[in-house]
């Protein structure tokens, strides 16, 4: 009976985390809340799974270390590459939606978060001439007794480690991310995500994986909404000039 109760509690906890809460990582809150004083990751300031003080680690360039993980084991990242790496870090640590893609066997991890092809291509372009010594940032480091990461192999350029943006997005963080076949039902780690999230988190979007017509409808609706969003932002930009 006790074993059943514990199992049931674990299922409920995982389900709650998936729908309403945050990932169960070492820096995340139990539930998202506003963080108006964030120094980085401000995309999530209105509803954040990380505390504002966490973002202090990302606020100054070059970023040396985040938690126990050093970013400079193969030299400092270029500013453009660092900016993309920050976007990924911010999503994992701070996004109130990350738990929608919670890993089924690890409540601190994500799996198959859909990234836009354009985002992955731009990320690869930004980092291709920087150097790296691990293909998978989650598993390929050598960790010392204090929990800090070190290279096992020599540093090589990103463009030698990864064939292209798709390879990089689907390898660097293990199975955390996937490249979406859609150009709208995917994340770009910017304000446009507010459009995609509406459809990605909807029940109809989840069901659409088994229905091509439903999927096409979702894609069309998302594209129309994104177009309106871009026109609105363009109009707002013109008014502030």
């Amino acid at each position: 009976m006790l074993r059943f109760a514990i199992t049931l509690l674990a299922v409920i906890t995982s389900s709650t985390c998936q729908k309403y809460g945050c990932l169960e990582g070492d820096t995340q809150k139990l539930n998202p809340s506003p963080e108006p004083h964030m120094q980085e990751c401000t995309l999530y300031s209105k509803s954040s799974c990380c505390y504002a003080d966490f973002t202090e680690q990302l606020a100054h360039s070059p970023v040396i270390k985040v938690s126990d993980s050093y970013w400079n084991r193969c030299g400092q990242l270029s500013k453009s590459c660092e900016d993309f790496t920050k976007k990924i870090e911010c999503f994992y640590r701070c996004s109130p939606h990350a738990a929608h893609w919670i890993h089924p066997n690890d409540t601190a991890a994500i799996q198959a978060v859909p990234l836009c092809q354009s985002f992955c291509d731009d990320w690869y372009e930004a980092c291709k001439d920087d150097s790296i010594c691990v293909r998978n940032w989650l598993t390929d480091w050598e960790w010392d007794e204090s929990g800090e990461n070190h290279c096992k192999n020599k540093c090589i350029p990103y463009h030698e480690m990864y064939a292209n943006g798709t390879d990089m997005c689907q390898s660097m963080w293990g199975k955390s991310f996937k490249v979406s076949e859609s150009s709208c039902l995917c994340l770009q780690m910017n304000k446009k995500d507010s459009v995609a999230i509406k459809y990605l988190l909807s029940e109809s979007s989840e069901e659409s994986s088994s229905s091509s017509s439903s999927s096409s409808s979702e894609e069309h609706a998302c594209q129309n909404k994104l177009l309106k969003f871009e026109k609105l932002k363009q109009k707002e930009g013109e008014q502030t000039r």
Side-chain angles (χ1 to χ4, degrees), residues 128-142:
K128 66 180 183 180
D129 294 325
D130 287 73
S131 294
I132 190 171
C133 65
V134 293
R135 181 170 174 80
N136 184 331
W137 275 42
L138 301 181
T139 62
D140 293 354
W141 295 103
E142 181 175 313

Side-chain angles (χ1 to χ4, degrees), residues 24-40:
E24 297 178 5
D26 58 354
T27 59
Q28 281 95 339
K29 307 173 186 177
L30 288 176
N31 294 288
S33 60
E35 290 288 342
H37 304 298
M38 299 173 83
Q39 297 185 43
E40 283 285 350

Side-chain angles (χ1 to χ4, degrees), residues 20-128:
Y20 308 111
C22 300
L23 296 170
E24 297 178 5
D26 58 354
T27 59
Q28 281 95 339
K29 307 173 186 177
L30 288 176
N31 294 288
S33 60
E35 290 288 342
H37 304 298
M38 299 173 83
Q39 297 185 43
E40 283 285 350
C41 310
T42 54
L43 183 64
Y44 312 109
S45 62
K46 292 182 179 179
S47 180
S48 174
C49 277
C50 68
Y51 294 99
D53 58 1
F54 163 76
T55 65
E56 294 175 3
Q57 300 177 69
L58 300 171
H60 304 288
S61 184
V63 175
I64 305 299
K65 181 182 180 184
V66 177
S67 296
D68 291 325
S69 181
Y70 282 88
W71 286 19
N72 64 346
R73 291 308 192 194
C74 290
Q76 303 295 354
L77 295 176
S78 64
K79 183 63 169 63
S80 59
C81 184
E82 180 182 89
D83 287 344
F84 274 90
T85 308
K86 283 182 181 181
K87 290 176 186 288
I88 296 297
E89 195 75 33
C90 286
F91 174 81
Y92 169 69
R93 304 275 187 171
C94 307
S95 172
H97 305 299
H100 178 75
W101 293 281
I102 193 170
H103 194 288
N105 301 318
D106 185 353
T107 54
I110 51 179
Q111 179 175 277
V113 178
L115 296 179
C116 297
Q117 182 72 64
S118 59
F119 175 85
C120 291
D121 291 343
D122 290 345
W123 183 10
Y124 182 78
E125 186 66 26
C127 294
K128 66 180 183 180

